[in-house]
Amino acid sequence: MTTAFIADLHLSPARPDITAAFSDFCQQQRHTLDELYILGDLFDAWLGDDDPSDFAGQIKSQLRALSDAGVALYFMPGNRDFMLGERFAADVGLTLLPDETVINLNGERTLLMHGDTLCTDDTDYLRYRAIIQHPISKFILRHLPLALRMRIARKLRAGSASKRPNLTPQRLRQMDVQHPAVISVMQKHNVQRLIHGHTHRAAIHSFCVNGKQAERVVLGDWYDAQRVLNTRGYAGIYTK
């Protein structure tokens, strides 16, 4: 069985190059994969399953084609697409997963996460996350007019993009995953392997948990990985 893990595609109408690369990926993997896990931030912003745009329909049709070909699809929301829900899942034939999901991967218990909650030094972000992803906030967002939600998404994207060039080394370290949080969550779920995205810092980290060899697989920026045609290992797509 071939299982693949991807994250942080950040699909957006503003980036047709990434959308085209994703279409190619879906066509190429249709008869190759048995399972595909998307560990968050499939979209650069997704604020409701009622999006009627051609862009949304295009992504849905690509995922549906994978599902119809027999690929089991799983999706774990990220910080950019936490509003993706049951309606979308039903449309494309995928299974929604909560953050901190443990699966059996080739006989080994493996913890899957988006990864943002591991950035425990980024207290401002974690406070914002707790507010914006609270069930009450999601209920309010879901019932706002779609046009207003789209304006909110554009504003959030613009704010994020404007801050990126000015990030200091200290701020970048603060935004990264913290090792004590990794150890804690792996002990909590009694696992020796963790796979996550969010940081775009592709790597496989080896260390010990409870005296046993363990690894943390960080999925890299999916699009950059596609551009260099690195489709195995940990840069953009991790396969087992």
Side-chain angles (χ1 to χ4, degrees):
M1 175 177 286
T2 301
T3 302
F5 302 84
I6 59 177
D8 302 295
L9 288 79
H10 293 271
L11 299 176
S12 164
R15 290 295 305 272
D17 51 340
I18 302 181
T19 302
F22 182 64
S23 177
D24 291 343
F25 170 81
C26 289
Q27 291 179 20
Q28 293 164 5
Q29 302 298 329
R30 193 173 302 174
H31 303 295
T32 301
L33 295 179
D34 297 296
E35 299 177 318
L36 175 64
Y37 287 83
I38 305 171
L39 302 186
D41 288 359
L42 172 65
F43 294 100
D44 199 42
W46 184 265
L47 288 180
D49 291 356
D50 55 341
D51 184 349
S53 67
D54 291 342
F55 166 74
Q58 181 181 358
I59 303 305
K60 286 181 179 180
S61 66
Q62 291 161 358
L63 289 170
R64 170 52 74 178
L66 275 177
S67 178
D68 288 346
V71 180
L73 300 178
Y74 302 91
F75 175 81
M76 177 179 290
N79 55 296
R80 299 293 189 106
D81 47 20
F82 60 88
M83 291 292 290
L84 191 149
E86 296 289 348
R87 179 173 167 182
F88 185 99
D91 286 346
V92 305
L94 61 76
T95 300
L96 295 175
L97 302 176
D99 208 354
E100 298 188 22
T101 290
V102 176
I103 65 170
N104 184 322
L105 182 60
N106 296 341
E108 181 174 351
R109 285 171 53 83
T110 300
L111 176 62
L112 307 180
M113 301 178 67
H114 176 57
D116 55 338
T117 58
L118 298 171
C119 303
T120 50
D121 281 359
D122 196 353
T123 54
D124 289 343
Y125 166 73
L126 291 179
R127 278 194 295 268
Y128 163 78
R129 184 187 189 278
I131 294 170
I132 197 66
Q133 296 196 32
H134 191 280
I136 294 176
S137 299
K138 292 171 71 173
F139 176 86
I140 293 171
L141 280 172
R142 195 174 293 116
H143 289 83
L144 290 175
L146 179 61
L148 177 56
R149 278 179 271 146
M150 293 304 179
R151 286 201 296 272
I152 292 172
R154 287 193 293 270
K155 185 175 181 180
L156 291 174
R157 283 198 301 266
S160 177
S162 66
K163 293 177 182 177
R164 201 170 296 130
N166 301 315
L167 294 175
T168 64
Q170 180 181 1
R171 178 61 179 142
L172 288 171
R173 287 193 297 271
Q174 189 181 48
M175 294 168 64
D176 200 3
V177 166
Q178 302 303 314
H179 190 62
V182 171
I183 297 296
S184 177
V185 77
M186 293 182 75
Q187 289 177 333
K188 171 185 172 183
H189 292 284
N190 189 29
V191 298
Q192 305 304 123
R193 180 194 288 140
L194 165 63
I195 303 175
H196 71 83
H198 182 64
T199 65
H200 297 208
R201 301 180 183 187
I204 296 181
H205 302 276
S206 297
F207 48 94
C208 288
V209 176
N210 294 333
K212 298 179 182 179
Q213 188 66 30
E215 68 175 12
R216 175 168 68 95
V217 178
V218 186
L219 302 172
D221 182 293
W222 181 85
Y223 181 62
D224 282 348
Q226 299 306 299
R227 287 195 296 119
V228 298
L229 301 180
N230 184 353
T231 58
R232 188 170 180 84
Y234 52 82
I237 175 169
Y238 177 79
T239 59
K240 291 294 284 186

